[in-house]
Amino acid sequence: MNFSRYAYRSHQTQILSEADLYALVEQARRLNALDGITGLLFRSGNYFFQIVEGGHDAIADLKLRLARDPRHQSIETLLDEEADGRLFLGWDMRLVENDSDVRAQAVASLISPRQLPANVALFLHMGAA
């Protein structure tokens, strides 16, 4: 199958204002829609966590863009695997912030009937710090 799922954690190089964060999410939604990528962006304190899914080439291109993005550093791959279906069908990009009290169970219920990979669910449950 030509479908991938990728998750990472990174440290913000500067705290984004709310307006900058929403602009980032809107830009990601537009680009992801063009590339057939769906996913979730989670922010907690100074950390980003993102899980995305799409075609191998689209995810490979996204990884290169992420590595060059000056808004974050210290990218730590948490998941990089073949996928047999989407967890985030219809979500070009969804933003979840830690202070909204959304935890793994709530996120998992949003993407039901599929479940988040265990290491990703644990990360969301514990928070990004």
Side-chain angles (χ1 to χ4, degrees):
M1 173 166 266
N2 188 24
F3 198 71
S4 296
R5 186 169 298 118
Y6 174 69
Y8 72 90
R9 176 174 92 157
S10 65
H11 189 268
Q12 291 178 203
T13 55
Q14 60 185 3
I15 298 298
L16 297 176
S17 70
E18 188 171 319
D20 289 339
L21 179 62
Y22 286 104
L24 171 104
V25 171
E26 285 305 313
Q27 179 186 27
R29 282 183 179 140
R30 286 191 304 275
L31 292 173
N32 288 354
L34 291 172
D35 292 337
I37 294 173
T38 55
L40 169 83
L41 176 66
F42 183 81
R43 181 175 78 161
S44 178
N46 293 332
Y47 289 90
F48 284 123
F49 162 79
Q50 186 172 19
I51 182 168
V52 291
E53 55 198 10
H56 287 311
D57 292 342
I59 297 299
D61 290 344
L62 177 61
K63 287 183 199 178
L64 293 173
R65 287 195 308 272
L66 290 169
R68 293 188 304 258
D69 191 327
R71 294 173 287 199
H72 66 159
Q73 62 189 7
S74 304
I75 296 174
E76 175 188 357
T77 297
L78 302 173
L79 182 72
D80 196 357
E81 66 182 12
E82 295 281 322
D84 59 1
R86 290 188 187 269
L87 294 172
F88 306 102
L89 189 61
W91 292 14
D92 297 325
M93 183 53 56
R94 181 76 53 105
L95 174 66
V96 176
E97 293 197 75
N98 192 39
D99 59 2
S100 68
D101 289 328
V102 176
R103 297 284 189 242
Q105 186 176 16
V107 172
S109 72
L110 292 172
I111 60 172
S112 186
R114 294 187 177 96
Q115 295 297 311
L116 288 170
N119 60 335
V120 172
L122 178 64
F123 174 83
L124 289 173
H125 178 70
M126 295 173 57

